[in-house]
Amino acid sequence: MNILLIGSGGREHALAWKLAASPSCDKLFIAPGNPGTATLGENIALDVSNHAAVTDFCRAHDVGLVVVGPEAPLVAGLVDDLAAAGIKAFGPRSAAAQLEGSKGFTKELCAEYAIPTAAFARFEDLAAARAYVRKKGAPIVIKADGLAAGKGVVVAETLPQAEDALDMMFGGGLGQAGAAVVVEEFMSGEEASVFAITDGKSFIPFGDAQDHKRVFDGDRGPNTGGMGAYSPAPVVTAEVHQQIMDRIIAPTVAGMAARGTPYVGVLYAGVILTAEGPKLIEYNARFGDPECQVLMLRFRGDLVQVMLAAIDGRLDALPPEQLAWSDEAALTVVMAADGYPGAVQAGSVIRGVDAAGGPDVMVFHAGTKTVDGALTAAGGRVLAVTARGATVTEAQRRAYEAVDRIDWPQGFCRRDIGYRAVARERQAD
Ligand code: AMP
Ligand code: GLY
């Protein structure tokens, strides 16, 4: 079967690697892809916002499965339009992608189905939002309702910070995404990313991970898309995992089906483990980046068969070998261009990437570009150096050894990815 993967980040290089390894994959196309995906299939230029063009490409190249990496095409209804043309596509339809596309939508679903999450209120008016924030006090969390590329959340430690965030969002600082704002109770606890693949009726757990969102060591500095991750997350014990499945994932899948907008695809729950148990922070309608990179290093099943079973509504009939996971841990370190998450300069040359990989190490590309035969930086997050190991500690050591083999003076990375898990492993010794 020919497969078309949409996206160009480290997540997509990891997905491409797993899809290409499936016995069911004949030819893999990636739109637009990156130099890493080019080693696994054919990168193509395709305007993915033009759904008719994507449909035409699939027909012309006999594509039997489309895999959508990022959220924007999901929210825009690419899967709806492909399905209408009879083309199988993995990912939720537009109405179901609202779980990521609208925080207010998710909050209302949580309220209707008693899914544990922060108390909240949604506002379309600055004066009312300001009055509510003053009544509640700080710390408090201000979120743009729409998609804001990870920049739409302000955890305000003081009331003036909260009011500044409201002014910025209602003042158009995030464009249309801030036309409505959700104000949330501040929750405290350790965070984890938990994944499930669903066919609209049933679901299978699909691993867990811990991301590192802040740009600098010790979780300091501004939020980013993610500077590193590891899987599994020891903080998600078997008991906690079961609670997340029973109290968060199961009612979401059932609720979306009951509303007539079944969710098909990967459901990524950002959870926080509070003193009262796990609570949902947010949903994403896609794999996490860089969480996907560590999940793919651990997943031993057949990703193509899992995705097709989800689309066809027969997840519960999948043979166990198509769902196998390695017991090993995986850890990924993101190498970013100096200045990230602010402005970065493109074009610096990166050496040593091919030699840095090995049997337990994959260097996934994100923002890279080949210029005159040289690998160069072409984005904020540039590489995701990902390693397997018997423990998180071992995976961490291998990942940083590989990082140190890469010669890129204009890049940086956090040196403490996995620190919580490494401390737990040390304690357990
Ligand atoms: P989000 O984009 O919704 O994942 O939020 C980004 C980050 O803001 C999360 O990973 C949390 O660290 C933090 N955050 C969001 N909502 C809350 C909340 N209600 N309480 C505490 N922290 C939060
Ligand atoms: N790593 C966080 C995300 O993909 O949203």
Side-chain angles (χ1 to χ4, degrees), residues 103 118 141 143 150 153 155 184-188 191 213 223 272 281-282:
K103 295 193 189 288
V141 182
K143 300 186 175 184
V153 176
V155 179
E184 273 188 23
E185 160 206 6
F186 173 81
M187 301 183 287
S188 103
E191 290 177 43
K213 288 206 164 104
N223 266 334
I272 187 158
I281 299 177
E282 61 158 4

Side-chain angles (χ1 to χ4, degrees), residues 199-220:
D199 61 11
K201 308 183 296 277
S202 60
F203 65 89
I204 49 167
F206 210 71
D208 51 69
Q210 202 163 40
D211 189 11
H212 298 61
K213 288 206 164 104
R214 303 297 195 100
V215 70
F216 299 128
D217 285 18
D219 295 325
R220 289 176 301 108

Side-chain angles (χ1 to χ4, degrees), residues 1-6 16 19-20 22-31 40-42 44 54-68 82 86-90 304-305 307-308 311:
M1 162 181 298
N2 295 340
I3 299 175
L4 169 64
L5 169 65
I6 307 237
L19 293 168
S22 165
S24 313
C25 180
D26 293 322
K27 176 137 201 207
L28 178 65
F29 299 97
I30 312 95
L40 298 161
E42 185 182 338
I44 52 159
V54 179
T55 304
D56 288 346
F57 178 89
C58 292
R59 289 204 173 118
H61 295 85
D62 198 20
V63 167
L65 171 66
V66 177
V67 178
V68 183
L82 288 169
I87 298 162
K88 290 185 184 186
F90 180 79
V304 174
Q305 289 305 323
M307 289 179 165
L308 289 171
I311 295 166

Side-chain angles (χ1 to χ4, degrees), residues 11 211 213 225-226 268 282 284 286-291 381:
R11 168 181 53 210
D211 189 11
K213 288 206 164 104
Y268 157 3
E282 61 158 4
N284 294 308
R286 50 173 174 82
F287 281 107
D289 187 342
E291 291 97 323
R381 294 191 292 173

